[in-house]
C-alpha cells in the first residue's frame, strides 16, 4: 500500500518535471530550415506556395509588407492572446494553447498567458477608470491645499529637564545658581 502511494507520487513528480521541461524546450526551440520565413512572395505562384507552406487558405494568407523588417513570407496574423483561447480544449501545447501545425504569431512571446492579452474586455469602461483616477488625484490635491492653509500642530508642553532646567549644562555659571527651582509638577491640596 505504501509502495503504491510512493509509486503514484513518483509518477506525478516525473510527469510534472517532463511537462515543465517540454514547455521550456518548446518555447526556446530552434526553427528548422523549412519553418524559417522564405523571401517575400512576389508572384501569385510564390504566394500560393507560401500559403500552402503555412497551412493556410490562399484567401486567408496575407504576408507582412516588404519594408525591410525581415519577415519575408511569414503570414500577418491578428494578435490573439493565448489567455483568450478556450482553456477546456485539449491543446497539444497547454501553455500557449496551440495545436501541432498552428502558425504562431510573429510576436507570440508577447501574447502568452503571463503577459498582455489584446482581447481582454474591461468590466469597467475607460471613462469611469479615468474619472476615478482623476478623482483620487483631485481629492489628494484638495487635501494637500487645505493642509497647507490650515496648519495643525500637536500641542506640546515645553521639554522638562532635571537639575533646574540643566542650568549648568546649558552654560550657566555654577556659582550663580538661581535660588528658585523650577517645578514641573503640582500636588493638589486636600
Amino acid at each position: 500500500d505504501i509502495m503504491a502511494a510512493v509509486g503514484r507520487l513518483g509518477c506525478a513528480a516525473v510527469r510534472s518535471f517532463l511537462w515543465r521541461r517540454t514547455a521550456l524546450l518548446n518555447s526556446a526551440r530552434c526553427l528548422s530550415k523549412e519553418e524559417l520565413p522564405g523571401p517575400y512572395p512576389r508572384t501569385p505562384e510564390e504566394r500560393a506556395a507560401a500559403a500552402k507552406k503555412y497551412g493556410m487558405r490562399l484567401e486567408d494568407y496575407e504576408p507582412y509588407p516588404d519594408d525591410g523588417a525581415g519577415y519575408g513570407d511569414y503570414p500577418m496574423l491578428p494578435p490573439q492572446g493565448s489567455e483568450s483561447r478556450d482553456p477546456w480544449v485539449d491543446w497539444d501545447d497547454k501553455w500557449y494553447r496551440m495545436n501541432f501545425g498552428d502558425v504562431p504569431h510573429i510576436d507570440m512571446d508577447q501574447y502568452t498567458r503571463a503577459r498582455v492579452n489584446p482581447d481582454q474586455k474591461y468590466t469597467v469602461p475607460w471613462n469611469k477608470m479615468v474619472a476615478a483616477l482623476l478623482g483620487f488625484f483631485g481629492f489628494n490635491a484638495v487635501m494637500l491645499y487645505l493642509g497647507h492653509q490650515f496648519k495643525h500642530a500637536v500641542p506640546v508642553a515645553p521639554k522638562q529637564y532635571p537639575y533646574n532646567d540643566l542650568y549648568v549644562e546649558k552654560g550657566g555659571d555654577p556659582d550663580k545658581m538661581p535660588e528658585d527651582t523650577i517645578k514641573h509638577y503640582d500636588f493638589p491640596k486636600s
Side-chain angles (χ1 to χ4, degrees), residues 13-121:
V14 167
R15 205 174 314 123
S16 173
F17 171 75
L18 289 177
W19 184 83
R20 288 190 185 122
R21 183 177 171 89
T22 53
L24 177 66
L25 291 175
N26 190 19
S27 65
R29 67 186 173 96
C30 296
L31 297 174
S32 67
K33 187 172 182 178
E34 293 80 28
E35 293 175 314
L36 287 174
Y40 184 79
R42 306 241 181 250
T43 64
E45 293 81 25
E46 290 176 350
R47 192 178 183 91
K52 183 179 178 190
K53 171 184 170 183
Y54 292 109
M56 299 176 74
R57 297 182 341 184
L58 184 58
E59 49 270 4
D60 292 340
Y61 174 73
E62 179 65 35
Y64 279 93
D66 192 18
D67 57 358
Y71 294 139
D73 67 348
Y74 203 81
M76 185 166 36
L77 302 171
Q80 182 187 23
S82 59
E83 190 177 68
S84 62
R85 294 184 185 142
D86 188 6
W88 304 110
V89 172
D90 188 22
W91 300 101
D92 291 336
D93 186 348
K94 296 191 183 337
W95 178 253
Y96 291 111
R97 291 184 181 161
M98 292 178 66
N99 287 323
F100 180 78
D102 287 351
V103 180
H105 193 274
I106 195 79
D107 297 320
M108 182 181 74
D109 58 334
Q110 295 177 5
Y111 302 125
T112 64
R113 289 191 292 163
R115 307 247 177 130
V116 69
N117 183 8
D119 300 326
Q120 180 178 0
K121 303 289 185 254

Side-chain angles (χ1 to χ4, degrees), residues 117-136:
N117 183 8
D119 300 326
Q120 180 178 0
K121 303 289 185 254
Y122 294 99
T123 56
V124 179
W126 276 99
N127 57 355
K128 287 188 179 181
M129 285 194 270
V130 170
L133 181 69
L134 293 178
F136 174 75

